[in-house]
């Protein structure tokens, strides 16, 4: 009986803490300042530690929570979904690259240089993975240009991205 109670408390605590995480992740994804790319990367890293089944559940919860929210949060969650699931599932499948392209289009509508630069990067890297080197180079070079314009200090792993882009060219 004591073990059953401990198990129940553990499960309940996990559910409560995950809901708290969802709220924190949504708050971080909704940032619109020059630190938004770092906040989004932190969120992706936190969620990416889970197994694929759990990631899908978390993404679904985030999508449900943002269904009636503004374009910014919808674009962020869509970009996060694409980034997390593209490499966790079959990276040769263009489904999540298409999801990223849709998120990128939303970022353009928002006229958010940080989000456009970030999503251009991820979309370009996805295109490279699915063997579209011309498209990959185009989007990655666009991202490089925008990152330089906005300030390289506001983007994580710039050096690695520059090396990846150089290899594409």
């Amino acid at each position: 009986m004591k073990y059953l109670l401990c198990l129940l408390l553990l499960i309940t605590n996990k559910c409560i803490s995950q809901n708290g995480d969802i709220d924190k992740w949504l708050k971080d994804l909704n940032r619109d300042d020059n630190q938004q790319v770092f906040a989004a990367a932190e969120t992706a890293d936190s969620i990416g530690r889970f197994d694929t089944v759990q990631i899908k559940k978390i993404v679904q919860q985030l999508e449900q929570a943002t269904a009636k929210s503004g374009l910014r949060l919808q674009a962020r969650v869509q970009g996060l979904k694409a980034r997390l699931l593209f490499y966790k599932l079959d990276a040769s499948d263009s489904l999540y690259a298409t999801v990223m392209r849709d998120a990128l289009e939303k970022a353009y509508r928002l006229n958010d240089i940080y989000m456009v630069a970030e999503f251009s990067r991820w979309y370009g890297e996805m295109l490279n993975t699915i063997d579209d080197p011309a498209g990959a180079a185009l989007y990655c070079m666009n991202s490089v240009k925008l990152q330089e314009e906005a300030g390289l200090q506001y983007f994580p792993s710039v050096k690695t991205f520059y090396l990846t882009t150089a290899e594409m060219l």
Side-chain angles (χ1 to χ4, degrees):
M1 182 68 179
K2 187 161 77 171
Y3 295 112
L4 183 61
L5 183 59
C6 287
L7 181 62
L8 183 62
L9 285 173
L10 268 172
I11 292 170
T12 304
N13 186 38
K14 180 68 176 161
C15 292
I16 291 170
S17 70
Q18 186 173 322
N19 286 340
D21 289 343
I22 295 287
D23 293 339
K24 180 195 179 314
W25 293 328
L26 287 171
K27 182 180 175 194
D28 288 344
L29 291 172
N30 203 31
R31 290 183 68 156
D32 66 350
D33 58 7
N34 60 15
Q35 295 299 306
Q36 66 178 286
V37 179
F38 280 103
E42 245 179 62
T43 300
D45 290 346
S46 294
I47 297 170
R49 291 185 182 112
F50 292 99
D51 64 43
T52 305
V53 172
Q54 191 64 29
I55 290 172
K56 284 182 168 183
K57 287 179 185 177
I58 292 168
V59 166
Q60 186 176 30
Q61 288 177 316
L62 290 169
E63 287 176 323
Q64 288 171 350
T66 59
K68 295 181 181 174
S69 67
L71 192 60
R72 165 174 297 286
L73 205 45
Q74 289 177 1
R76 276 281 172 209
V77 169
Q78 199 171 12
L80 178 71
K81 174 183 182 176
R83 181 179 172 190
L84 287 169
L85 295 176
F86 181 81
Y87 295 104
K88 286 280 188 180
L89 300 175
D90 185 6
S92 66
D93 183 0
S94 63
L95 171 68
Y96 290 106
T98 303
V99 172
M100 182 58 80
R101 186 192 65 223
D102 292 344
L104 177 58
E105 288 172 5
K106 286 180 174 127
Y108 270 111
R109 289 193 347 233
L110 290 164
N111 198 27
D112 185 319
I113 190 171
Y114 300 102
M115 197 183 300
V116 171
E118 177 189 9
F119 290 175
S120 290
R121 171 195 178 161
W122 291 112
Y123 185 55
E125 289 186 3
M126 289 174 182
L127 290 177
N128 191 49
T129 302
I130 60 175
D131 203 26
D132 180 358
L138 175 76
Y139 281 96
C140 287
M141 288 305 297
N142 182 54
S143 180
V144 166
K145 178 182 170 267
L146 292 173
Q147 285 182 14
E148 288 175 351
E149 193 176 307
L152 295 176
Q153 69 272 24
Y154 302 121
F155 296 90
S157 60
V158 171
K159 291 177 185 175
T160 305
F161 175 57
Y162 271 48
L163 288 172
T164 302
T165 302
E167 286 177 353
M168 287 180 206
L169 302 175

